[in-house]
Amino acid sequence: MKEIKDMTHEEIHNYLAKRAKERQVLYQKGATEEEKREAELEAYSDRRVGYCLSEAYYEDLPKDHLHNLSYEERLAKAEELNGCKFKDAKPCKDAFAPRDAFSGSSYPSQCDGRVVSVPRSPGLWSLRLHGLVLGPIIGICLLGVSMTDDSMPAWHSWLGLFLLTAFPLIMYKIGNAIRIVDAIEFNRHTGLVRTPYTLFRKPFYIPIEDLEYVVGPEVKNMRGSASMQTGYLSCRKYPEHYWFGNRIGIAGGGDAHDWSQMNRFMDITQPINRYYYKAMEYTFKKNRNAHGNGPFPEVMKKYFDADDCQVNRWKVW
């Protein structure tokens, strides 16, 4: 059998159609979960080959939605948005992580091609998580007690049913609505990072060059079956009229690899790295932006196949 590089366009189309039919037969026969995962990866690769046959795949799209500002100009823009000048922060005693440690792999943050959204820690998301876990547990306990003890008032049963059914859905909806409050926003189109809300401070804007990442210790549970990386962002400077804490915690801690990818994402001299493609395709399919509080950015839709919800371009700017 010929290799793909030796086939004509028509032969490649026929070959891809044959592979698609084989996957359909596999699903109909009752494929295992592992076979399904392999088939999905194969289908993803086949679609990319199909995009490569299209002239649009290599089309050079305009990049006028990106900023063309220097660091000094972005710093001035941040001061304008903040309403005050910056002042230098006290030197951080912890060592900073490198900005180009592209090694290892981890799950990327929410991304829509315009923004990478990273939740802070501790944040409101942790309250939602506790509510989603504790609500149903308390509901089951209330229902169990109500069914075994006739002296319990009837409203206990209704409360237990509410906590077990409607409460998790309400918490989920509320969590999506307030995600923007906890979000650290890395905006590729403006070249600025926006910090999250805190109890005593509203968000402010800052160039990514004035942010550093500090990798903390890895926290493990007592049995050693799970662990969580800790880490935080440290500002080299901050707005002079803002109350400021010296750390911005990151949910899940992040790692040096994630931090390097964020820096690469903010570098508009190169296309978006494939590291974020899956996250972008997920938000495109859901038609939500990275924060989950609005539609997918219109300017980024030209880089996706509307039917497959997959990146169909060679370079995504």
Side-chain angles (χ1 to χ4, degrees):
M1 182 178 177
K2 288 184 181 179
E3 293 186 9
I4 288 184
K5 64 180 180 179
D6 299 324
M7 295 181 185
T8 63
H9 282 198
E10 185 178 355
E11 288 174 332
I12 293 176
H13 280 300
N14 293 336
Y15 173 67
L16 296 179
K18 179 182 176 183
R19 281 163 63 93
K21 289 181 180 179
E22 290 174 351
R23 285 192 294 271
Q24 283 295 107
V25 172
L26 181 66
Y27 287 132
Q28 292 172 358
K29 288 182 177 180
T32 64
E33 287 301 317
E34 185 164 345
E35 287 175 333
K36 288 180 180 179
R37 283 195 296 270
E38 290 178 359
E40 282 298 317
L41 292 174
E42 182 184 276
Y44 188 91
S45 299
D46 285 355
R47 287 195 293 268
R48 184 183 298 171
V49 173
Y51 302 147
C52 293
L53 299 178
S54 168
E55 293 181 2
Y57 184 76
Y58 297 102
E59 183 182 0
D60 190 14
L61 296 174
K63 309 175 186 67
D64 50 4
H65 53 275
L66 298 175
H67 73 87
N68 56 356
L69 304 176
S70 65
Y71 163 74
E72 290 75 15
E73 291 171 319
R74 284 183 286 115
L75 184 65
K77 181 65 175 178
E79 290 176 339
E80 178 186 342
L81 293 171
N82 297 334
C84 61
K85 295 287 186 180
F86 279 98
K87 63 180 179 181
D88 292 335
K90 293 181 179 179
C92 179
K93 296 180 180 179
D94 297 322
F96 296 143
R99 294 178 183 266
D100 56 354
F102 303 110
S103 60
S105 61
S106 52
Y107 182 77
S109 305
Q110 287 291 91
C111 177
D112 57 22
R114 179 178 62 92
V115 162
V116 166
S117 178
V118 184
R120 70 181 173 94
S121 179
L124 295 176
W125 66 272
S126 57
L127 296 178
R128 183 188 72 160
L129 181 62
H130 282 88
L132 288 172
V133 173
L134 295 178
I137 293 176
I138 296 174
I140 291 173
C141 293
L142 284 174
L143 285 174
V145 172
S146 299
M147 288 187 293
T148 55
D149 188 350
D150 295 335
S151 65
M152 296 292 289
W155 65 267
H156 278 212
S157 299
W158 288 109
L159 177 59
L161 188 62
F162 169 76
L163 291 174
L164 187 60
T165 56
F167 182 74
L169 180 61
I170 293 172
M171 289 298 293
Y172 178 77
K173 293 291 185 182
I174 291 175
N176 287 340
I178 64 175
R179 187 185 301 167
I180 184 65
V181 176
D182 281 333
I184 308 169
E185 178 186 284
F186 293 79
N187 194 315
R188 175 176 168 87
H189 290 191
T190 64
L192 297 175
V193 179
R194 189 189 66 194
T195 63
Y197 288 86
T198 67
L199 186 60
F200 302 105
R201 187 195 68 224
K202 64 180 182 179
F204 63 87
Y205 295 85
I206 186 171
I208 192 171
E209 291 89 340
D210 290 314
L211 282 177
E212 299 289 352
Y213 179 68
V214 177
V215 181
E218 186 177 2
V219 179
K220 297 185 177 182
N221 67 8
M222 294 182 65
R223 295 183 178 181
S225 59
S227 64
M228 184 182 73
Q229 180 65 56
T230 62
Y232 66 90
L233 294 175
S234 175
C235 295
R236 289 184 176 272
K237 57 183 62 169
Y238 62 96
E240 57 186 11
H241 292 170
Y242 283 56
W243 181 90
F244 179 73
N246 62 348
R247 299 181 177 186
I248 303 174
I250 295 180
D255 55 29
H257 180 70
D258 289 329
W259 171 240
S260 299
Q261 291 292 352
M262 291 172 198
N263 278 272
R264 177 182 282 177
F265 176 80
M266 295 292 282
D267 181 4
I268 62 171
T269 64
Q270 56 183 326
I272 296 175
N273 190 266
R274 294 185 183 277
Y275 179 75
Y276 285 111
Y277 277 22
K278 283 292 185 182
M280 291 163 57
E281 289 162 353
Y282 176 79
T283 52
F284 178 76
K285 184 177 182 179
K286 296 293 184 181
N287 193 27
R288 307 300 289 174
N289 62 18
H291 298 309
N293 66 339
F296 190 84
E298 194 68 32
V299 71
M300 297 305 298
K301 289 183 178 179
K302 58 192 174 185
Y303 297 103
F304 295 82
D305 182 277
D307 297 323
D308 298 327
C309 298
Q310 184 174 327
V311 173
N312 66 348
R313 302 284 176 171
W314 181 44
K315 295 179 180 179
V316 180
W317 294 90

